[in-house]
Amino acid sequence: MFLCHQLCNLTLICHPNRWLKKLDLCMKREQQEICLFIDNFSGHKVSYEPSNISLEFFEPNMTSFIQPCDAGIIHCFKALYRWNFCARAVDLDAVGERNIYKLTLLEGMTMAKAAWEAVSAKTIQHCWDHTKIQLYVLTTVVNNLC
């Protein structure tokens, strides 16, 4: 099983080639071969050629079909956050505040938390249904059992 949990997302974002090399070396040590699916974002181009990782790039415009968060969850979260941000600005304006759009980091984080908590389970389920990922997995499992 994949045990290289020490690789962090920050390394992936800042140094994708270094991250990929570390992951590849880890897979080699564990005598594992994996397939890494990557969207076609231009920043995901890598120069390192791994030996124990097969890189598969998605076709253009596939992201919203295969990544549930991009299929509407993030959109819903952002809409809720913006609604709260605008409502806050209106409230501040009503009491005569001059800089109605200024907020502290804590206020922004609190608003983000509230927006995430307002994303309904139904929205999340709809986005997963839209991708049809679980239908594919269920069909594959059933076909393999028969």
Side-chain angles (χ1 to χ4, degrees):
M1 189 65 191
F2 176 63
L3 299 174
C4 295
H5 59 278
Q6 69 274 13
L7 299 173
C8 72
N9 289 335
L10 186 59
T11 304
L12 173 61
I13 293 166
C14 298
H15 307 284
N17 287 303
R18 188 184 314 168
W19 181 87
L20 184 62
K21 187 173 185 177
K22 283 182 180 181
L23 180 60
D24 188 42
L25 292 172
C26 189
M27 292 294 98
K28 193 171 195 170
R29 250 191 338 269
E30 295 177 11
Q31 297 178 342
Q32 297 284 327
E33 291 187 11
I34 62 171
C35 181
L36 181 61
F37 290 96
I38 306 169
D39 67 20
N40 62 352
F41 167 64
S42 61
H44 292 159
K45 303 297 183 226
V46 292
S47 57
Y48 176 74
E49 292 187 34
S51 60
N52 287 55
I53 301 172
S54 173
L55 301 177
E56 294 293 330
F57 289 88
F58 292 126
E59 294 295 320
N61 303 316
M62 286 293 296
T63 303
S64 65
F65 295 103
I66 56 176
Q67 295 180 352
C69 286
D70 286 341
I73 297 169
I74 293 171
H75 175 78
C76 183
F77 165 78
K78 285 180 176 180
L80 290 163
Y81 179 87
R82 288 179 184 135
W83 189 89
N84 288 333
F85 183 81
C86 290
R88 179 183 173 280
V90 167
D91 290 344
L92 289 174
D93 185 54
V95 296
E97 183 69 36
R98 293 187 72 194
N99 197 347
I100 61 174
Y101 301 114
K102 184 177 180 180
L103 68 151
T104 67
L105 180 59
L106 178 59
E107 290 168 327
M109 291 169 52
T110 302
M111 289 169 50
K113 181 178 185 268
W116 175 247
E117 290 172 347
V119 175
S120 70
K122 186 174 182 175
T123 296
I124 295 169
Q125 181 63 48
H126 173 76
C127 293
W128 276 98
D129 290 344
H130 174 74
T131 64
K132 297 182 177 49
I133 292 172
Q134 67 278 49
L135 178 61
Y136 171 77
V137 171
L138 181 60
T139 304
T140 304
V141 169
V142 169
N143 288 341
N144 288 338
L145 293 175
C146 297

